[in-house]
């Protein structure tokens, strides 16, 4: 996969995406001193951007939402356009087209994405039932027209739900509805074959039979057709990719 780009507000502070809160505070203080009008005449716009970056990244909750927004929306597909789109998005504190729209980042387990689920979005201002349809993907947006804020003199705004997948144990989502899980076997099973039980996100138990020598080396993948996730229109069902690691008990090493 391509290397993750450094998100815009982190770049403003000269930092990477995974820095600590202490590093963010130190960078902010250093830049404010550097661009103080006494040292850097005409730097008021730089100071405003620096202050905005710290307001977002210096708070754990707003930083979390910003990171999810960048990962799922700004830098998701057309990464070359992401910095330009920031020019339209910032310094507004809300990352949507209409300034009164409500953006809600919903943590959803892979199992609930597999089955689908009805749930309720509850904030200080709204309570709306939403339908997470079977087959939805990580980062997918669902817009509920007129379900946002009701403000005097304005049409009701929209509620925009962004799906943030929380990994189900051993599984991750791939493209085209495919799922991948990692299974550890000892070197004797890798050589002589055997049976492995896997709990599928559907809740079913899969009994996987391995022939002698079927797992020739660590990283070997076995593809189980039609055991992935169905597409939204149910026209396609992905496959399950089982990736193997091999455990050597005498050396206490897994490769």
């Amino acid at each position: 996969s391509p290397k993750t780009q450094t998100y815009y507000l982190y770049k403003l502070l000269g930092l990477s995406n995974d820095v600590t809160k202490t590093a963010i505070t130190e960078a902010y203080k250093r830049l404010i001193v550097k661009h103080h009008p006494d040292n850097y005449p005409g730097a008021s716009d730089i100071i405003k951007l620096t202050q905005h970056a710290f307001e977002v990244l210096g708070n754990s909750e707003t930083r979390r939402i910003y990171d999810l927004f960048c990962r799922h929306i700004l830098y998701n597909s057309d990464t070359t356009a992401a910095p330009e789109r920031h020019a339209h998005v910032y310094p507004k504190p809300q990352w949507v087209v209409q300034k009164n729209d409500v953006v809600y980042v919903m943590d959803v387990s892979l199992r609930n994405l597999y089955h689908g689920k009805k749930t309720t979005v509850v904030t200080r201002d709204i309570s709306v039932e939403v339908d997470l349809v079977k087959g939805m993907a990580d980062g997918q947006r669902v817009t509920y027209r007129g379900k946002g804020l009701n403000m005097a003199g304005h049409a009701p705004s929209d509620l925009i739900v962004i799906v943030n997948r929380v990994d189900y144990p051993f599984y991750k989502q791939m493209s085209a509805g495919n799922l991948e899980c990692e299974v550890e076997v000892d070197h004797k099973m890798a050589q002589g074959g055997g049976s492995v039980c896997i709990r599928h996100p559907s809740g079913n138990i899969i009994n996987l039979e391995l022939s002698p020598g079927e797992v020739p080396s660590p990283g070997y993948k076995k593809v189980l057709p039609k055991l992935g996730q169905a597409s939204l229109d149910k026209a396609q069902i992905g496959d399950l990719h089982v990736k193997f690691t091999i455990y050597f008990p005498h050396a206490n090493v897994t490769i």
Side-chain angles (χ1 to χ4, degrees), residues 58 70 83 117 152 159 175 182 197 202 215 218 223 232 236 242:
C70 285
K117 181 184 180 182
L159 167 66
S175 60
E182 189 170 290
C197 290
S202 64
V215 182
V223 179
L232 281 174
Q236 179 181 355
V242 183

Side-chain angles (χ1 to χ4, degrees), residues 108-225:
V108 186
S109 71
L110 178 56
R111 184 168 184 176
N112 284 333
L113 289 179
Y114 185 90
H115 287 285
K117 181 184 180 182
K118 290 186 181 293
T119 187
T120 303
V121 171
V122 179
T123 71
R124 184 182 61 183
D125 304 300
I126 64 171
S127 177
V128 178
E129 184 178 274
V130 298
D131 189 8
L132 301 175
V133 181
K134 179 178 179 178
M136 292 182 71
D138 186 31
Q140 189 162 343
R141 284 184 293 174
V142 184
T143 300
Y144 295 85
R145 300 294 181 190
K147 297 295 185 179
L149 299 177
N150 289 299
M151 302 180 66
H154 298 275
S157 65
D158 298 336
L159 167 66
I160 301 173
V161 176
I162 301 176
V163 173
N164 178 52
R165 187 200 67 238
V166 179
D167 283 335
Y168 189 72
F170 309 116
Y171 284 88
K172 66 179 181 180
Q173 242 178 351
M174 302 169 67
S175 60
N178 295 324
L179 300 176
E180 181 181 272
C181 69
E182 189 170 290
V183 173
E184 180 183 278
V185 296
D186 63 32
H187 70 292
K188 291 182 179 179
M189 184 178 291
Q191 294 173 356
S195 178
V196 178
C197 290
I198 305 172
R199 181 176 290 277
H200 193 263
S202 64
N204 297 327
I205 302 295
I206 299 172
N207 188 36
L208 185 59
E209 295 290 341
L210 299 176
S211 303
E214 186 174 352
V215 182
S217 61
Y220 168 76
K221 288 185 180 181
K222 185 179 181 70
V223 179
L224 306 180

Side-chain angles (χ1 to χ4, degrees), residues 20 44 46 63 68 74 94 117 149 161 182 207 244 246:
T20 64
S44 59
I46 297 177
R63 180 184 179 183
L68 290 169
L74 284 182
Q94 293 168 307
K117 181 184 180 182
L149 299 177
V161 176
E182 189 170 290
N207 188 36
F244 290 91
I246 302 176

